[in-house]
Amino acid sequence: MEHKHQAESFEEQEMRLWKRRLWGAWVFAVPIAILMILERFFEIMPFGERTSLIILIIGFPVIFFFGWQTIKAGIRGFISFYFSMDSLIALGTLIAYATGILAFFINVQDYSGVSAMIMAIFIAGKYIETKARGKASQEIKKLLELGAKKARVLRGKEEIEIPISEVKIDDVIVIRPGEKIPTDGIVIKGQSAIDESMITGESMPVEKKIKDTVIGATINQDGILYVKATKIGSDTFLAHIINLVEEAQGTKVPIQKVADKVTNIFVPAILVLTVLTFVGWVIFSGDWSKALGAAISVLVIACPCALGLAVPIALTVGSGMGAKRGILIRKGEAIQTMKEVKIIAFDKTGTITKGKPEVTDFVSKVKEDYFWEVSGSLEHMSEHPIAKAIVAKAALKSYKKFTGFSVVRGRGLEGKLGNKKIVIGNRTLMNEKNISFKLIERQIKSWEEEGKTTMIVAENAKVIGAVAVADAVKDDSVKAISALRKRGYRTVMITGDNETTAKAIAKQVGIDEVIANVLPEEKAKKVEELQKRGMVAFVGDGINDAPALKQSNVSIAMGSGSDIAIEVGDIVLVKGSLIGVVQAINLSKATFKKIKQNLFWAFGYNVIAIPLAVAGLLNPIVAELAMALSSISVVMNANLLRRARI
């Protein structure tokens, strides 16, 4: 709960603060505006000679109370020689305000009312800016709010409801249909379907049974589940996602560093230009008032607020959009690097494939039901992954009782069903038992050429069928890889698996190049070799992929993979589906395009407006209004990113 409060507080506090300043500043600025309009356009001075003094007094709180934060930050820039946008606004408003005092002693145009208006408009711009950032950070808040607030925990035989913060590891939590799962855990009793769409974006519920893991904040559908808590608090999957999104929104894109450098040179350059404008006007026109007006306009118009907003606001919107789609951008620079990538390299197991064996083909010389009854019942007695794949395919309600069961290591299984002797195993086992499988030899050969593991089933020394088992390709791998190739990327598979299997999988999904038999420690070296041909994005999910992920220019980790892979990933795909790679590339390109557009608007606007201010063609208020509008246009442009098709 504490985390929620903290995450809320900073964004909300800042928004509240600027909102208060906004209201406060305009309460005083509106009367000033009325007095100025009456004087300027109607030559009415309700308070006669004292109007100037009243404006000076009303303007004081706008600048020195509601605008004090800006003034303070601006002055700090002059002391530390690290100038910011606030430096220009502080200088502009202070000089403009000072003219109101000077007007009592010398003949100079009184800009004190203008200075209060400048500050009020600046505060309004700041409020819109924090609101936009706050809105983009709402995505994080929405994630936070997804978590359950309470949990029903078993204490002895009793069920008690406690706040989520009091749940301990190994607590058994009871989740009824329609309830949120309070924290990450493992099912120890019951079965149900779970809506995991908030994590994966997949609308189809996922079936869960005993020993399956569940993620906090996902929603239980139709059965009662008893879940043992395995992770709590900041260790949970949801907490990790929130951290990743927060990290991404705080990182800098290389182009942002350029913008920061420009700002740091730009501000002193503007200060010099302001002095030159003032001196120039005094020398060539002798009009001190006009000189001051032009100098203040230059200071105000040049305030590079839009420039400071351009990159962070686009990055914040982009990373928020990604989070909704299960694409977590951990490092901002990945967005910029992504557009240079030419080669996309993939790990095989768990990335392109599901990472666990499945029955892909079978042939049966007897009734299909009987074939699966025999195979499933015998394999049910083994713990081997291939056995589990056959049991899953057989999907029997009950198993036949075998006697004399034995495992022939590395070759297969045998057992007796009544008076029938059943043997399931590879070629070697069949040859050892002198069982001929000539009938299905061609079928087996073609499976083996595809890199599949074949198990032959025999009853009383006579072959009754065979099963091909392989690590099946994920449902959308073919679609994703074809989309990447269409976009002109070269696709490469780097795997520790043997050449035959690797090539078979590559052919199935349409990968351009295969690098097989690679030891885990060599993966990074292979990525380095590929980098000689162009920038490389590497997609992986396991501990063995971490060095290759680190070596690549952009690392994309599967969220379904190991923690270490996720830690190293610049981009994390929560769903563990390769379509996410295509979406991540689209999102990166769309976000970077917005960053460039924003910088163009911010710079372009200054390039046009500054000469007008130098020429004395911009009233300081008009200058400030234009500056506020430039910031708003950058915010609106960044929000247009939400319409991009990812």
Side-chain angles (χ1 to χ4, degrees), residues 414-445:
E414 52 190 1
K416 283 187 108 165
L417 184 61
N419 58 0
K420 293 170 184 167
K421 183 156 194 223
I422 309 292
V423 178
I424 304 179
N426 54 19
R427 286 169 169 272
T428 320
L429 184 60
M430 295 300 146
N431 290 335
E432 279 174 14
K433 301 270 180 199
N434 285 327
I435 297 170
S436 163
F437 49 90
K438 267 215 164 46
L439 272 176
I440 51 171
E441 171 81 60
R442 275 215 0 241
Q443 188 69 64
I444 291 168
K445 204 162 190 289

Side-chain angles (χ1 to χ4, degrees), residues 33 35 43 61 68 79 93 108 112 122 212 277 309 317 368 380 382-383 414 417 424 508 517 526 557 568 614 636 639:
L35 289 173
E43 293 180 357
W68 179 243
I79 296 165
T93 48
V108 68
S112 59
F122 177 75
D212 282 348
T277 303
L309 256 182
V317 172
E368 209 176 291
H380 179 62
S382 164
E383 282 299 308
E414 52 190 1
L417 184 61
I424 304 179
Q508 203 180 329
N517 295 314
K526 296 292 177 196
V568 180
V614 172
M636 282 166 67
N639 277 300

